[in-house]
Amino acid sequence: MGDTSMSETMLTYLQWIAERAAKSKDWQFYSLANHMDKELLLAAFRQIRKGASAGVDGQTAKEYSENLNENLKDLYLRLKENRYRAPSVKRVWIDKADGRQRPIGMPTCEDKIVQRAVAMLLEPIYEEDFYDFSYGYRRGRNPHQALKKLRETIKEEKCGWIIDADIKGFFDSMDHGVLREFIGRRIKDGGIKRLLGKWLNAGISEEGQIHYSDSGTPQGGSISPLLSNIYLHYALDEWFVEVVQPRLKGKSFLIRFCDDFVIGCEYREDAERVMNVLPKRLSKYGLTVHPDKTRLVDFVKPKSDGDRKETFDFLGFTHYWGKSKSGYWVVKKKTRARKLIQKRKEINVWCKENRHVSVRVQHKYLCQVLRGHYNYFGVIGNYKSLASMRHWIMICWRKWLNRRGGKKSISWDKFKKILKTYSLPMPEIVHEI
């Protein structure tokens, strides 16, 4: 709500929405779509990612912006007169490091604008409803805040029985009927509900064929993160706070980043009770707890050096107990092994396929990879893993430079000379958590 691209009138209205939502959890909104004017659409356009690939209409954000005022005026009129039609979402598949493929959704530029505008109207409402332990895809929140809260809560609340949960195919499993029911608890505006219905029913375009489904969110859409948070707010968060916690004997917590969450309990008996009812609760809303990836972890603070505890993974890190420099037991983090393996496979494939391009281009890419790695995994206690990643990249780089062709191999001495000109960034602790 601090977007300077919007007028004081629009900012005041968004503030009113937030205040009205905060005043009563039962308040329902009937006239949001009336405020989807050209000003809001322009602010939405400024927020969408401009470098994304084109959707089914082939139009990029750059092309759309060449006649922006007229395009937005036409879009506004179609929305006002209920003539807007949500196009299908273009889907392509990209290769993953493990050999599988991942689907990527590409909405049209115009559809992203409308979705972003609707999200801007809905976010002030649900920001008042969402709990503080929900960190995913919310303004001013990030994974490292969730990690910090997790560490502090385990330590302060002494909740060492951890439910490491995994929802199977969450984004493809959200039931449209359930989602509409959840949205209807707050939103009674017919225009907004019609737009949401259009996106849910738009279908996926792939190789000339359009496929429809009664579950899942709009792929690649800017409204999808908000819809997923709304779904789990009612299906999981609210239930945990209002139904589960009052019935437990000891302290407990839930920390969630979109569909990735952990539950902690003070007593094993409480954790086992939650483990038993969690699959039933989520199945009520069409969601499945992965039986092989959901487990109860004994993460109670060790009493001695020989008291070995289990570990658990959350947001790309493996969490474990270790000794601080002062000799106290603390919760530590290291890069999850699976994440390292996946990233190394991606880098190895890239170096192989680009071994004939200039060293300068290869160096630029590898520096970007390392800086991105440090920016996320650069937390206190994880320096050794960061250094290991840098060392592995050097070995991989030299290996594929050696296979560029020709009889001359690159010795380590020669490679060290290359590194003097094209040095790789050193490991860096970015987050003091």
Side-chain angles (χ1 to χ4, degrees):
M1 287 186 291
D3 193 335
T4 56
S5 65
M6 288 186 283
S7 68
E8 286 297 323
T9 302
M10 180 56 69
L11 292 173
T12 300
Y13 177 68
L14 294 179
Q15 184 64 41
W16 178 86
I17 292 177
E19 292 172 355
R20 183 69 265 186
K23 189 172 294 185
S24 172
K25 299 296 182 183
D26 297 323
W27 183 270
Q28 296 176 322
F29 294 83
Y30 285 84
S31 58
L32 295 172
N34 293 341
H35 295 272
M36 285 188 63
D37 56 14
K38 186 179 174 183
E39 178 193 349
L40 185 66
L41 294 173
L42 177 59
F45 173 78
R46 289 171 175 164
Q47 291 188 17
I48 67 170
R49 192 162 61 92
K50 305 301 189 297
S53 299
V56 292
D57 62 355
Q59 187 177 48
T60 64
K62 182 180 179 181
E63 293 169 342
Y64 193 87
S65 67
E66 290 173 357
N67 195 20
L68 185 60
N69 288 333
E70 288 301 315
N71 285 334
L72 292 181
K73 181 179 178 181
D74 176 66
L75 175 59
Y76 165 68
L77 289 175
R78 280 182 283 134
L79 287 168
K80 183 180 179 180
E81 298 168 3
N82 195 27
R83 292 187 292 110
Y84 181 77
R85 297 291 179 265
S88 59
V89 177
K90 180 181 177 181
R91 182 163 71 181
V92 297
W93 296 81
I94 62 172
D95 295 329
K96 297 176 66 175
D98 58 6
R100 295 181 298 172
Q101 289 188 314
R102 179 163 64 95
I104 297 293
M106 299 178 180
T108 64
C109 175
E110 194 168 72
D111 211 31
K112 283 186 277 189
I113 295 171
V114 182
Q115 288 191 30
R116 184 63 232 153
V118 171
M120 291 166 71
L121 291 173
L122 298 185
E123 282 168 355
I125 300 171
Y126 290 102
E127 278 300 310
E128 300 301 327
D129 290 355
F130 293 156
Y131 292 98
D132 285 341
F133 56 72
S134 170
Y135 289 88
Y137 308 117
R138 295 175 61 187
R139 193 181 298 274
R141 290 171 173 254
N142 59 59
H144 293 93
Q145 292 173 335
L147 292 165
K148 181 180 180 181
K149 185 63 176 179
L150 174 63
R151 181 179 182 272
E152 292 175 346
T153 307
I154 291 175
K155 176 184 176 182
E156 295 170 4
E157 302 295 329
K158 297 180 181 179
C159 295
W161 292 98
I162 303 296
I163 299 173
D164 182 9
D166 183 271
I167 301 177
K168 191 175 181 180
F170 169 68
F171 289 98
D172 294 327
S173 303
M174 281 187 283
D175 184 275
H176 289 175
V178 171
L179 179 58
R180 287 189 179 94
E181 190 271 321
F182 286 158
I183 294 290
R185 296 184 185 184
R186 273 294 206 178
I187 310 302
K188 294 298 182 181
D189 185 301
I192 297 295
K193 293 172 75 172
R194 279 193 296 272
L195 282 172
L196 291 173
K198 289 176 181 180
W199 290 321
L200 294 176
N201 297 322
I204 303 296
S205 177
E206 185 176 7
E207 296 181 350
Q209 299 292 322
I210 299 180
H211 310 279
Y212 299 94
S213 175
D214 58 2
S215 63
T217 57
Q219 285 198 358
S222 52
I223 195 72
S224 294
L226 177 60
L227 296 181
S228 63
N229 269 333
I230 293 171
Y231 203 97
L232 284 178
H233 169 76
Y234 289 114
L236 176 65
D237 301 355
E238 191 174 74
W239 167 76
F240 183 78
V241 172
E242 297 184 1
V243 179
V244 175
Q245 284 188 311
R247 289 169 168 78
L248 301 180
K249 293 181 179 180
K251 298 176 181 177
S252 62
F253 70 83
L254 164 64
I255 294 179
R256 181 173 67 81
F257 192 95
C258 200
D259 64 323
D260 196 357
F261 67 94
V262 291
I263 296 173
C265 295
E266 185 179 2
Y267 302 125
R268 178 170 188 158
E269 179 185 351
D270 285 342
E272 289 175 340
R273 289 179 64 193
V274 177
M275 276 280 288
N276 288 331
V277 298
L278 182 63
K280 299 174 185 176
R281 171 66 185 185
L282 294 181
S283 67
K284 181 179 178 180
Y285 301 105
L287 304 177
T288 304
V289 174
H290 202 298
D292 299 326
K293 296 181 180 180
T294 301
R295 62 195 182 100
L296 179 59
V297 179
D298 178 0
F299 204 71
V300 178
K301 183 179 177 180
K303 297 179 179 178
S304 64
D305 291 345
D307 185 12
R308 297 294 179 183
K309 295 295 179 180
E310 298 176 83
T311 66
F312 68 93
D313 299 321
F314 182 57
L315 297 180
F317 288 91
T318 295
H319 300 256
Y320 65 100
W321 283 102
K323 287 286 189 72
S324 67
K325 292 181 179 180
S326 303
Y328 297 105
W329 287 107
V330 294
V331 177
K332 293 189 173 184
K333 294 178 288 296
K334 61 182 178 181
T335 310
R336 186 182 178 186
R338 182 179 173 184
K339 287 288 184 182
L340 279 176
I341 293 171
Q342 289 177 343
K343 196 63 184 177
R344 288 178 177 182
K345 285 182 177 179
E346 290 175 10
I347 295 168
N348 186 65
V349 169
W350 190 93
C351 287
K352 176 183 178 181
E353 294 178 349
N354 294 273
R355 63 187 182 275
H356 295 297
V357 304
S358 69
V359 173
R360 179 182 58 81
V361 171
Q362 294 182 39
H363 172 256
K364 182 180 179 181
Y365 167 78
L366 295 176
C367 286
Q368 289 175 341
V369 168
L370 274 174
R371 291 193 184 100
H373 190 77
Y374 299 158
N375 283 339
Y376 187 81
F377 293 104
V379 301
I380 292 175
N382 199 34
Y383 188 90
K384 184 184 292 186
S385 175
L386 302 181
S388 173
M389 183 62 155
R390 181 180 183 273
H391 181 69
W392 183 89
I393 284 180
M394 286 197 304
I395 293 174
C396 179
W397 193 15
R398 175 178 173 265
K399 179 184 77 173
W400 290 110
L401 285 176
N402 258 329
R403 301 183 184 183
R404 289 165 70 113
K407 297 180 180 180
K408 292 185 178 180
S409 63
I410 299 177
S411 64
W412 270 108
D413 288 337
K414 185 175 180 180
F415 185 63
K416 287 177 181 178
K417 292 180 180 178
I418 293 176
L419 289 177
K420 286 183 179 180
T421 303
Y422 299 99
S423 61
L424 296 174
M426 296 297 294
E428 181 182 2
I429 301 301
V430 179
H431 305 281
E432 300 293 325
I433 59 172

